[in-house]
Amino acid sequence: MEKGGIIKHNQEKAPKTGDWRYLKPEIDAAKCIGCTTCVGFCPEAVMEMRKRSEQESEVSAQFAKEKEIVEIDLEYCKGCGVCAQVCPVKAIVMKK
Ligand code: SF4
Ligand code: SF4
């Protein structure tokens, strides 16, 4: 592989972790500013940005209303908590 090449995550080959995961990340729509930081750090590549729902836009901080919000595929999330650690505004909380 050439230097700087990107290894793409193949979700079809990834094990489903939803059954044994101990902690589950929860996004606080009122805090998320749509910065995408967590997406790049997730070791399972299960985070994606999506459009905010009307309800999520209502509770979002003024400057975040037009931005996307992050969504997690919990079927493949292993609950490692990296996303919660790197979020600059602590919009992700790990829950049992
Ligand atoms: S807990 Fe870990 S695997 Fe799950 S979304 Fe966050 S960084 Fe990704
Ligand atoms: S959850 Fe945190 S790190 Fe992820 S997009 Fe929202 S503000 Fe950024």
Side-chain angles (χ1 to χ4, degrees):
M1 173 179 283
E2 69 190 68
K3 193 178 173 190
I6 295 171
I7 300 170
K8 285 217 167 178
H9 188 78
N10 185 346
Q11 214 157 52
E12 281 174 18
K13 290 182 181 169
K16 290 190 179 179
T17 54
D19 290 344
W20 56 259
R21 182 191 54 238
Y22 180 61
L23 291 172
K24 185 170 106 175
E26 271 188 25
I27 315 291
D28 185 341
K31 287 187 180 173
C32 176
I33 54 172
C35 69
T36 76
T37 303
C38 54
V39 176
F41 276 92
C42 174
E44 298 299 314
V46 296
M47 308 184 90
E48 267 184 16
M49 301 308 288
R50 67 158 168 80
K51 205 170 177 284
R52 271 170 216 262
S53 68
E54 224 168 271
Q55 200 182 5
E56 286 164 346
S57 285
E58 277 171 25
V59 297
S60 301
Q62 190 59 40
F63 57 88
K65 285 189 192 305
E66 302 303 318
K67 302 208 171 189
E68 291 183 316
I69 191 168
V70 72
E71 180 158 284
I72 300 170
D73 184 345
L74 291 172
E75 213 173 3
Y76 294 95
C77 160
K78 64 183 177 189
C80 64
V82 168
C83 51
Q85 284 295 315
V86 300
C87 176
V89 292
K90 300 291 169 221
I92 302 176
V93 178
M94 301 303 292
K95 293 200 172 157
K96 281 187 188 167

